[in-house]
Amino acid sequence: MTDVPYVIALHGGAGVIPGRDYGRALDHLRDLAARMSSKLADGLDAIDAVEIAVTEMEDSGLYVAGRGSAPNAVGVVEMDASIMDGARHRAGAVCAIQGVASPVGAARQVLEATPHVLLAGEGASQFARARGLPLIGDPANFYRTPVGLTQADIDAEAAALAHGTVGAVALDRRGALAAATSTGGVFGKRPGRVGDTPLPGAGVWADGEVAVSCTGVGEYFILGATAYDVAARLRYAGQSLDQACQGAIARIGELGGDGGLIAVDRRGRVSFQFNSPGLKRAVAGCGRLTQAVV
């Protein structure tokens, strides 16, 4: 192994409502980041680290992904996820998938077991079943109401849920980078709507220089090719990681959108940038104090 400053960064979405207590989510993010950092120190590959981390966030029910997913306009949960391995420059993704406990796990199977990048809808669900991935069983007993959802503040919650994506980026001790992103969708969305989360270059990116995971109003991140925009600013404009991330989020603002992103580069530098009221996030790694903040 090389002497690389391994690191992992996580986000639990940019859907932050001012004044709300996010203590449970932050505690979870802090503990998860610390545990994944320890695994990276022991030699875990970045691609495995981001999959494990996002799977745990999906399963927690604390975020709008996995168990915390939001139903669409007809009461059905459709989920999106992606994962990208910078070392191999390969990606796997699923969109509008139903009935699967871990969408990011399905995305990883697309990466490893098919020549494709993205599977959609029933095709993605059938693939996940054929691969023997865990299913949810009765939806009424699996999905948890997103934290704090009430009829009294449904408008504010709907806006927050539009930013409820989770994600992870990591650099391992070999110097490999990876990223993963997962979402349970916007509350009350039109059936079949897909945002940036499952699209490499929009909601996720990893190459030999940087790994990025985004959260926000997906249409704007698609139009801005935001995750790849960060990589392009680093590679072609000679910007620093912070400058690249700030520029990419500024472009989202210019387009009329909001949200945030997390990124780590090959030197172990981390950047968190957002133009929304907040971003639930955590970081841990070699020589770093584990932190979780909004």
Side-chain angles (χ1 to χ4, degrees):
M1 294 182 187
T2 58
D3 187 20
V4 171
Y6 60 87
V7 64
I8 187 163
L10 312 173
H11 73 77
V16 172
I17 299 174
R20 171 160 293 175
D21 181 4
Y22 291 101
R24 286 181 62 203
L26 293 179
D27 287 345
H28 181 258
L29 287 171
R30 184 182 302 106
D31 173 71
L32 180 57
R35 286 189 287 109
M36 297 315 303
S37 173
S38 179
K39 290 179 181 293
L40 286 168
D42 290 339
L44 184 70
D45 289 343
I47 187 68
D48 295 325
V50 297
E51 181 188 4
I52 293 168
V54 170
T55 298
E56 289 205 23
M57 287 190 277
E58 290 172 335
D59 189 57
S60 73
L62 293 171
Y63 319 95
V64 190
R67 286 182 180 272
S69 296
N72 64 19
V74 296
V76 174
V77 173
E78 296 179 318
M79 301 169 289
D80 306 330
S82 60
I83 189 167
M84 190 160 183
D85 184 346
R88 291 182 287 172
H89 201 75
R90 292 188 59 197
V94 294
C95 65
I97 194 170
Q98 297 181 30
V100 176
S102 175
V104 78
R108 178 70 185 273
Q109 287 297 304
V110 173
L111 186 159
E112 301 293 354
T114 82
H116 311 306
V117 171
L118 175 63
L119 295 181
E122 181 56 25
S125 301
Q126 289 178 356
F127 170 75
R129 292 193 292 269
R131 296 296 296 177
L133 297 180
L135 306 179
I136 67 168
D138 181 4
N141 295 326
F142 181 82
Y143 295 112
R144 302 174 184 172
T145 301
V147 177
L149 183 62
T150 66
Q151 291 299 315
D153 62 0
I154 189 65
D155 290 338
E157 285 290 352
L161 291 172
H163 305 66
T165 303
V166 303
V169 294
L171 172 69
D172 65 30
R173 294 185 65 186
R174 296 182 298 109
L177 291 153
T181 311
S182 180
T183 188
V186 179
F187 181 83
K189 68 180 180 181
R190 184 184 296 271
R193 180 264 185 186
V194 174
D196 66 305
T197 293
L199 303 180
V204 71
W205 185 259
D207 57 23
E209 299 292 324
V210 68
V212 185
S213 175
C214 301
T215 170
V217 181
E219 284 72 12
Y220 296 102
F221 284 76
I222 295 171
L223 293 172
T226 303
Y228 180 71
D229 189 22
V230 173
R233 289 170 182 271
L234 285 171
R235 184 182 297 273
Y236 302 114
Q239 296 182 356
S240 70
L241 183 64
D242 278 341
Q243 288 172 335
C245 293
Q246 289 164 1
I249 289 298
R251 178 57 178 158
I252 290 296
E254 292 168 1
L255 293 171
D258 69 329
L261 60 80
I262 61 174
V264 59
D265 70 10
R266 63 185 178 87
R267 295 182 181 178
R269 294 173 295 199
V270 176
S271 186
F272 301 98
Q273 302 296 332
F274 53 95
N275 66 348
S276 56
L279 175 67
K280 299 181 286 292
R281 59 200 189 274
V283 62
C286 180
R288 288 179 175 272
L289 177 67
T290 303
Q291 300 179 56
V293 296
V294 174

